[in-house]
Structures are given as structure tokens and as C-alpha cells.
Amino acid sequence: MTDPPALPGRSRRRPLAALCVAVLALLTFAAATTPAVAARRAGTSLTVQFTNSSNRDLRFNSSNYNGCAIQEPQVIAAGGTVSWTLQACGDPRGNVGTFSFALVRDSGLVQVGWDAPVVGANTYTESAPAGYVISHSGGDGVNATVRFTFDCNSKTCDGIADSWKQNGVYIDPTTGNAFSAPGPGRQFVDLPGMGADVNRADLFVQVDWMADATHSHALAPQAIRQVVDAFANAPYQRSAQTTRGINLHVDAGPDSILNVATGTTWGTLSRAAKVTEATNLGTAVGNNYQWDDFNKLKMRTGGFVASGRSPIFHYAVSAHNLQPGSTSSGIAPTPGSDLIVSLGSFADKVGTVAEQAGTFMHELGHNLGLEHGGNSNVNNKPQYFSVMNYLYQFGLISGTTSGIVDFSRQNTSLDENGLQETQYPSSSGTYDVRHFCPNKTGGGGSFVTVPAKDAQVDWNCDGKISQIPVAFDVNDDGAKTVLGGHDDWGNILLRVGSIARTGSANGVPAPTPEDELTPELAAMDEPLDTTPPVTTARTDPRADRHGVYHSDVHVTLDATDDVSGVALTEYDLDGAGWMPYTDPVTVSGDGKHRLLYRSVDHAQNQEQDRRLFLRIDCDPAHPEHPDATPEVEAFTNP
């Protein structure tokens, strides 16, 4: 019997027996295949490829994973790509887990997560701190490969989003949150009008200043220009940057320069202002500076925080002094986005242009993650050519040019146990070097300057250039160690403090140890010495009226030097060779004698040879000899 033909609009019905057989076959097939498919899915691998396009290394922090990670990465270098494979290892859920990585020399965690279940589609999650972005691609199917890409939120990794640079941004001062559109209380920060550039790193600083009727702590335009130029000429360059350097924008008031090329001033874009003069800005607990008074200025009505600039600008105050009794040149957290320049104890209570420029860049350098030794607080390292170093805070010297402000461009170490005096501690020999020399008598000493053109350094201050290594404490820290170098420009942090961190505008910096340059410490840094010492000779006894000596002669040599100090005085008697002078030189024996003598100072200036001719006649029968008889004297002196 055949089935009747189907009617239009109605489906053809299958016999019940046949339908039951079909369902039974389907269930039997599912029962036979599902466990095998599940087993294969649960045991499959997942390959993770992670590209770190940022300028910060990532270090493995933690994992939440029941499976097995093969070649789990411990460090993902900036600009690098790593891959690792994950095996579920029998986890009934499939391949599920998370990894987190910490930013090296920055805060926050980068997290990636994956869920490749037994049944269903694979899913992935990722998160990054403010100022960074992360995304993924791929990762579908069995034995999948997922690709995560981590990067800064701007081409130049300066912490300022490219969209902000292009369009400006609205900031809510009460929360620090950013918006693309206006709203109640929101402040517009006109970054395009301020010269922000998506193709070049930008760094913004607002400088308020103290002033009264007698003096002003406003930074000199020349000082600001020196620092702006230093950043513009920096070797800093992200791979996405079209040119080297950093655009430093310093709002120091409406009349301060916004664009150094055109001379345009900040005008109505400025929010910097004069604040009331106070002898001290803040107090200290022990040696830790407390930022409460500084924060009152920062939070004042109509002040910095009210302008909405906190996620973009560093905030600086050019003040008189810090807490009572302090003569420090300034202070700043490392890293951070707040800083103080306090030159009230320096020249004219406001500092010279060199002192202002060097201190402003020094404290800003602390904000950018630099210590007094670059990556450490070991100070006064001669080969560390940076304004972060007390030796060079008020300016480096190159030839006849002084007062140059710069961060270190080289990573050169110096071993105090094996100093090569015939080698200059610079890859380029650009800057003059300062190193410690003790006083010849008594305690103390100073840091003397040696011109780079000399291409050698008398490290142990003995007045000679040794051909073999010498040992000496050249930074006067009481120990002979390896003084590490540091490439400042290659390691500065631009995303620091409140920069790029929305929602954190009102934070007060933690108490900061006060350990900054004072006038007393600055006085130890000698200027360049280009004048050799002057040596004089005294004889005992004195010659007779004919210039003749009638006994052994003792010659005393006295040397003076106006700047760096005398390192060595030496003499050569009758061509016997140069000898170091320590005690009066005894000249004896009848006849003519020649004494050459000279001195060299700690800056390696050597005096021209001086000459002393002596004639000794010890024969008592000769005229004018002390033991001659009157008759002889009468005969010889009629």
C-alpha cells in the first residue's frame, strides 16, 4: 500500500513506526559520538600570540587556570611578540582561564582571558589600565590561535589619547572623568589650540608662582625656553612618531610663550597664576615633606584642579622655600605629576636663569621616573651627564658653553676600583666632567671640573695621569663601587601620576623624603678652571749681595691655585729628573745649580716650568764669606 499524495499546503506525514526508528537511530548516533567529540574538545590546545606594541615591558603576574601552560612567558618586552600554548589537561569545562601581567615601571595590570568550552563558541576577554588599549582577533574553532595586541592609547605613548589631541576633551573637575561632549560643570581643555600633536609626544606643565612687592618667583622666560629646547632636541622617539623629541608645553601665565617658533603666548588659554608669597610652603614630619599646603593651592577655587587639567598637565609651584629650616632647591615625587621649585635660598632669592632651568628640569625629571643616579639614588656620578645629578643640576659645560640642561643620553658605568685615567668617561666626549678631589690638608674637598678636550682625567687627584688603573672614591660617597650609568631619555615615563588617569584628580602625593640640592652642596661644585697654579720659591739662608750662597741652601716651594686647588708640585734639581715636592729641597756643593719647579692643579692645568739658579761657594777664604778674615775683606773691598 502506498501513501496517499500530499494535499497542497500540507506536509506529507510519515508512518509512526518509521518515525520512531529514525528518532532511535539519531539518539543512538548521538550517544555514540557526543562523548568522543567532548573528549576531543576538552583536550584541544589553544595558542595565544601576544604582541606588546607599547613602550613598557610586561612581567607575568598571576594566572587562574586548571590546565597546562607550555612555555608560559615571564616577560613580554616592549615592542615584542611572544606565543604560548595552553592545554586543558582534562578540565571538564574545556580550555578556560586568565593570565595577568604587570607593567614594568608603571602601575596597573593587563589581563587576558579565554573560554574554549566543550560545546559552543570560543570567547575571549581583555582589559588594560588607563592610558593603554588591548584587543584580540582570531581564536575560532578547535586548536585555535588567538592574537592579543596591547598598546598605548596614543601613537607616542605619552598618556594623552590621540582623540583628545585632535578634538580636545571635556573634563569633570569633581571626578576627573573625561568626556567628548559638554555637560554640567565640565571644563574644555583645548589641546589642539595648545599645540598638541598626534605624531609627536606631548608633555604639559602648569607653573603657578609666588610673588610679593619685593620679588617674584616666576620662572624666567629664558629658563623655560632652555628646558623646552632640551625636550625638543631629545632622542626620544616612539616607532609611530614621525620625528624625534618631545613637545614640552609650559603654561607659566598668559604672557608666557606657547609656541616658541611663532612667539605666540598662552593668552586666554592660560590657567597659571600668581599665588600669595609665603616663606615656607608646607611642613615636614621627620625628613618627609608633607604636601598638604601645596595641595591647597592645587585645589583652590578657580585653580588647577578646577580647570580640568589633572589628567593631562603636571602641576608645579615656583615657591620660596619648603618647610621651615629648609634650603632645598625643590622637591617632587618619583614618579608623579606634582613638583615644586624652591630657590628662595639661592641667588637673589629667586635663583639665576641656570639655577631655575636646571631645577625645573630636575624636578620634572623626578616626575618622569628619574632618580639622582638615573635608576638609583647614587649621586654625584661623574660619568652620569644629567641635570638629575647634583654635579650637573645647574648646567653642563661643553667647551666654552655652560649652563646646558639635558638628561643623560648614555649608559656608561665607572668602576672606582679600576679607573682608567687615560680614557674619558663619555662615548662622545661632549661634556666636561666633574669628580671629587679632597683637600691636600685637612678634611673636605670639592668637585672639580675637567675639560672634555683633555680626553683624560686625573681620577685620584695626584696631579699625574697614570698609565695603569687607579682606585679612588670619585663621587665621595665613602665607598669604591661600580657607578652605574643610565640612559635617561630612553627610560623616561610620560604616563605618570594623574596623567591619563581619569577619576584621580584630587589625590595628595605621599610624603616625600627631602633630599635635594642646597646652596651648601652646590658650593662644592667648582666652575671650570682654566688658569694654572702659581709657584714661588724661598731660600734659606739668603744669598749675599752678589747672589752667592756660602752654605747649603734650603728651597721652600709655595703653590697657590684660585679655583680647583693644587694637586702636585714637583722639582728637577740639576737635571736629575722630576720629583714630587713634599719638604724643602736641599741644594749643596760648590758651583752653579739649576732648580726647575712647577705645579699642576686638579683641573689638570700645568704651570710652565720656573727656574732658580743658585751659586754656592763654601770656601771661607773667598770674599764676603762669613768666616773670611778682615784682611781678606779689606783686600777684596778696598
Side-chain angles (χ1 to χ4, degrees), residues 152-173:
C152 305
N153 68 344
S154 64
K155 286 184 180 180
T156 58
C157 281
D158 57 10
I160 305 173
D162 288 344
S163 61
W164 295 10
K165 293 186 178 187
Q166 293 170 321
N167 307 310
V169 61
Y170 291 89
I171 304 292
D172 183 344

Side-chain angles (χ1 to χ4, degrees), residues 353-397:
V353 168
E355 290 168 347
Q356 290 181 14
T359 302
F360 177 44
M361 190 167 177
H362 177 100
E363 302 305 339
L364 184 57
H366 279 314
N367 272 187
L368 303 181
L370 299 175
E371 300 283 7
H372 293 140
N375 59 348
S376 72
N377 254 328
V378 177
N379 213 328
N380 298 316
K381 296 186 290 189
Q383 87 290 1
Y384 176 49
F385 297 105
S386 172
V387 295
M388 301 308 300
N389 186 347
Y390 283 0
L391 298 180
Y392 309 118
Q393 179 172 325
F394 293 158
L396 296 143
I397 302 174

Side-chain angles (χ1 to χ4, degrees), residues 73 76 103 155 181 184 188 197 217 239 274 485 505 530 533:
I76 307 176
L103 281 82
K155 286 184 180 180
F188 182 63
D197 186 349
H217 292 282
S239 58
K274 179 178 72 173
T530 59

